[in-house]
């Protein structure tokens, strides 16, 4: 019998953390973070990392496992989550994944096979030499011709992902987009996906309020600490909540503009998250408001009780 795994998904600031803790308390669960940035130590405010108070003594995994100068791939995430699902289920507890990074959640729950795509160092060196000679835009435009959908998801400055997408195409004859579409969405687990959504204006209001709260809590100083450690080009500093302040530190943008850009980028990211989960995964959605949040959580817990009882 396949192990049941709960996944709580949805856009940023919608209330996933508090729901996941309620589920864990009700069903003897333990929580695995499905956020690609909460893995980094010290990056607490900008990633809206769950606090010790919010955890309510529920064990949480996949938080603070990497230094901010280290890289971390989807394949790494998949491997680690599978390890924790087994560890939690061996204790007869319920694994609960919570987060908004769609590709990471999908890779953890379904049959993505990354083994076929081991790195080819010679190809990487060849492309890097080409970038040095002709510039990144020459290589990026080739990706736009080969795989426009993948190119639209990758910033030209993200050399690592540009090279990776081209490498997959050269080695397999298949675009990264086609590769993802071909993956069999057959899960080794028995996943139950719970999605939280809000009316767009309310969600955007919550996002703006969350950013204001992050600023009050010291987000600018948190980002400055990592910037001054020389990490501005690291994978961790590419995250929303961090990259927006680099122009401010370099004297090219006001603090007020940086904050407004962070709010805008967060709203856009929420929209992309919602679209991803809607299009890629079979999620049971629940719309919540300020007024009915407690009531909706009770409904979700009742619905989950019925699903978990089914063999």
């Amino acid at each position: 019998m396949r192990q049941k795994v709960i996944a709580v998904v949805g856009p940023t600031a919608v209330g996933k953390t508090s729901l996941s803790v309620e589920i864990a308390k009700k069903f003897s669960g333990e929580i695995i973070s499905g956020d690609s940035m909460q893995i980094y130590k010290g990056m607490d405010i900008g990633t809206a990392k769950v606090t010790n108070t919010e955890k309510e003594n529920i064990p949480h995994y996949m938080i603070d496992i990497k230094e901010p100068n280290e890289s971390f791939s989807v394949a790494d995430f998949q491997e680690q989550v599978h390890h924790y699902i087994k560890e939690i289920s061996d204790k007869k507890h319920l694994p609960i994944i919570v987060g908004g990074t769609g590709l990471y959640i999908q890779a953890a729950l379904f049959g993505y096979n990354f083994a076929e795509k081991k790195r080819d160092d010679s190809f990487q060196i060849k492309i890097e030499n080409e970038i040095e000679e002709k510039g990144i835009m020459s290589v990026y435009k080739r990706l736009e011709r080969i795989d426009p959908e993948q190119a639209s998801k990758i910033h030209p400055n993200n050399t690592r992902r540009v090279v990776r997408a081209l490498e997959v195409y050269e080695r397999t004859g298949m675009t990264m987009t086609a590769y993802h579409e071909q993956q069999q969405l057959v899960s080794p687990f028995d996943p139950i996906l719970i999605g939280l959504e809000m009316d767009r204006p309310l969600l955007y209001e919550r996002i703006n309020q969350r950013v204001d709260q992050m600023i009050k809590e010291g987000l600018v100083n948190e980002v400055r600490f990592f910037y001054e450690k020389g990490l501005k080009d690291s994978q961790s500093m590419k995250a929303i909540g961090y990259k927006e302040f680099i122009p401010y530190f370099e004297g090219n943008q006001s603090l007020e503009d940086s904050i407004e850009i962070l709010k805008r980028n967060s709203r856009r990211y929420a929209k992309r998250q919602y679209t991803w989960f809607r299009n890629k995964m079979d999620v049971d959605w629940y719309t919540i408001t300020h007024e009915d949040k407690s009531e909706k959580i009770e409904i979700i817990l009742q619905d989950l009780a019925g699903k978990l009882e089914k063999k």
Side-chain angles (χ1 to χ4, degrees):
M1 184 186 299
R2 291 180 301 164
Q3 171 64 43
K4 287 189 185 293
V5 178
I6 305 292
V8 178
V9 304
T12 188
V14 78
K16 298 185 295 293
T17 297
S18 57
L19 173 61
S20 66
V21 169
E22 290 303 317
I23 293 171
K25 289 194 298 185
K26 175 83 172 175
F27 300 108
S28 299
E30 299 186 12
I31 294 170
I32 302 168
S33 170
D35 186 291
S36 61
M37 298 309 301
Q38 292 187 359
I39 60 170
Y40 291 113
K41 297 174 185 174
M43 299 184 116
D44 302 335
I45 302 169
T47 65
K49 202 173 285 179
V50 60
T51 66
N52 285 331
T53 303
E54 290 169 334
K55 287 178 183 176
E56 297 195 37
N57 296 319
I58 301 295
H60 281 64
Y61 305 93
M62 297 296 285
I63 295 173
D64 295 336
I65 62 170
K66 287 284 179 181
E67 297 297 335
N69 62 344
E70 294 182 286
S71 61
F72 195 72
S73 70
V74 187
D76 295 330
F77 179 83
Q78 181 192 58
E79 182 180 351
Q80 294 246 27
V81 170
H82 286 188
H83 164 78
Y84 284 119
I85 288 174
K86 183 175 188 310
E87 185 177 296
I88 293 166
S89 59
D90 282 350
K91 291 186 275 185
K92 306 300 182 190
H93 287 178
L94 178 66
I96 303 161
I97 303 175
V98 54
T101 308
L103 179 59
Y104 279 55
I105 302 280
Q106 192 174 27
L109 287 178
F110 296 96
Y112 269 63
N113 177 12
F114 295 98
E116 299 168 18
K117 296 196 294 173
K118 292 197 183 297
R119 298 312 302 254
D120 182 342
D121 291 339
S122 63
F123 181 85
Q124 185 171 351
I125 291 164
K126 184 175 81 171
I127 293 287
E128 285 173 353
N129 288 340
E130 186 179 339
I131 290 169
E132 203 169 318
E133 265 182 55
K134 301 178 183 175
I136 183 61
M137 287 313 296
S138 168
V139 173
Y140 183 75
K141 282 175 181 171
R142 190 191 320 161
L143 179 60
E144 284 185 315
R145 289 193 300 273
I146 291 169
D147 189 356
E149 185 176 336
Q150 191 67 19
S152 71
K153 299 173 185 174
I154 303 174
H155 192 279
N157 292 343
N158 196 335
T159 309
R160 183 177 60 88
R161 288 187 63 197
V162 172
V163 172
R164 188 63 167 147
L166 288 170
E167 179 187 337
V168 168
Y169 179 73
E170 175 149 306
R171 294 183 64 200
T172 67
M174 184 183 295
T175 65
M176 187 74 91
T177 298
Y179 183 88
H180 286 160
E181 287 173 353
Q182 180 186 284
Q183 293 282 345
Q184 292 290 316
L185 289 185
V186 177
S187 180
F189 311 109
D190 181 4
I192 301 169
L193 280 71
I194 302 298
L196 293 184
E197 60 183 351
M198 275 183 180
D199 288 340
R200 197 67 55 86
L202 176 57
L203 180 63
Y204 286 175
E205 179 190 333
R206 281 176 62 97
I207 288 170
N208 291 340
Q209 289 171 349
R210 173 182 274 191
V211 171
D212 289 337
Q213 183 61 31
M214 287 175 169
I215 298 300
K216 285 181 188 170
E217 290 172 3
L219 176 60
V220 178
N221 286 335
E222 180 175 282
V223 183
R224 192 193 304 275
F225 173 80
F226 294 109
Y227 175 79
E228 290 178 350
K229 288 187 79 172
L231 296 175
K232 78 169 188 175
D233 294 320
S234 64
Q235 180 180 336
S236 60
M237 287 286 277
K238 299 286 194 295
I240 293 171
Y242 295 85
K243 62 184 179 181
E244 290 82 5
F245 293 99
I246 292 174
Y248 165 60
F249 298 145
E250 296 180 343
N252 299 320
Q253 188 170 277
S254 71
L255 177 58
E256 292 74 17
D257 285 348
S258 300
I259 293 169
E260 286 308 309
I261 290 167
L262 170 54
K263 289 179 179 178
R264 181 201 69 192
N265 287 351
S266 299
R267 293 191 300 266
R268 289 178 176 174
Y269 178 54
K271 187 176 178 183
R272 291 197 304 275
Q273 287 174 300
Y274 183 60
T275 301
W276 172 281
F277 289 118
R278 276 282 183 195
N279 293 341
K280 303 277 188 182
M281 304 177 82
D282 185 15
V283 178
D284 292 324
W285 290 99
Y286 296 83
T287 303
I288 59 174
T289 67
H290 289 315
E291 294 76 23
D292 72 353
K293 183 179 177 185
S294 298
E295 183 185 326
K296 280 292 170 68
I297 287 177
E298 281 306 313
I299 291 170
I300 291 168
L301 294 176
Q302 288 172 19
D303 290 351
L304 272 176
K307 290 174 182 175
L308 289 169
E309 282 172 11
K310 290 179 182 175
K311 299 298 181 186

